[in-house]
Amino acid sequence: NCAVHIVMETVFDINENYLSEKIFKPIVLKQPFIVFGPPNTLKTLQDMGFKTFGTFIDESYDAIEDHDARYNAAFNAVQQLCKQPLSSIQNMLQDRRLGDKVFHNYEWFYMQHTLDKVVDQLYRDINGCL
């Protein structure tokens, strides 16, 4: 029943690549997403082989390094979606290009090399806390 998943990452106000399990939830649910996270979160995902949704959602927020400005820009992207008529959102969700991206992300996530990267990063994060 969710058109676009809004991901609230564990940390927001750092300037380093950080992905938690939260970003992978919409991927396994085959949903487009907007992420409130550190700068370049979407770029990090793209570098890993995932596809994001710039064709449908303004993703310019991802490159903004100022934390307050990035938050405001991501919030604006959510507001822009909310202002669209339901029929427009339904058309977006039925667009083959969006479907291809969410299916690609789902398949890519379950490939062994991707799972290895994700598990390795979670292991490093846990080890860093100890």
Side-chain angles (χ1 to χ4, degrees), residues 67-87:
H67 305 307
D68 292 334
R70 187 175 61 264
Y71 179 92
N72 289 334
F75 186 74
N76 187 51
V78 172
Q79 285 183 312
Q80 291 306 311
L81 281 173
C82 291
K83 290 178 182 176
Q84 294 183 27
L86 184 57
S87 61

Side-chain angles (χ1 to χ4, degrees), residues 50-111:
F50 292 100
K51 297 183 180 188
T52 61
F53 309 96
T55 308
F56 304 96
I57 299 168
D58 179 5
E59 294 181 336
S60 62
Y61 66 86
D62 189 57
I64 300 172
E65 293 198 14
D66 178 86
H67 305 307
D68 292 334
R70 187 175 61 264
Y71 179 92
N72 289 334
F75 186 74
N76 187 51
V78 172
Q79 285 183 312
Q80 291 306 311
L81 281 173
C82 291
K83 290 178 182 176
Q84 294 183 27
L86 184 57
S87 61
S88 178
I89 299 293
Q90 289 170 330
N91 288 339
M92 177 187 80
L93 294 174
Q94 293 171 355
D95 190 300
R96 181 179 173 97
R97 295 169 299 164
L98 187 131
D100 289 346
K101 288 181 180 196
V102 294
F103 187 75
H104 166 84
N105 288 347
Y106 177 85
E107 292 288 312
W108 191 257
F109 178 79
Y110 283 106
M111 291 183 145

Side-chain angles (χ1 to χ4, degrees), residues 12 18 23 29 37 40-41 44 51 56-57 90 92-93 106 127 130:
F12 183 83
Y18 180 84
I23 193 63
L29 293 174
N40 300 308
T41 298
T44 299
K51 297 183 180 188
F56 304 96
I57 299 168
Q90 289 170 330
M92 177 187 80
L93 294 174
Y106 177 85
N127 239 5
L130 299 177

Side-chain angles (χ1 to χ4, degrees), residues 9 11 36 41 46 53 81-82 86 103 114 116 123:
E9 261 301 357
V11 292
F36 287 76
T41 298
Q46 293 163 355
F53 309 96
L81 281 173
C82 291
L86 184 57
F103 187 75
T114 306
D116 290 344
Y123 177 77

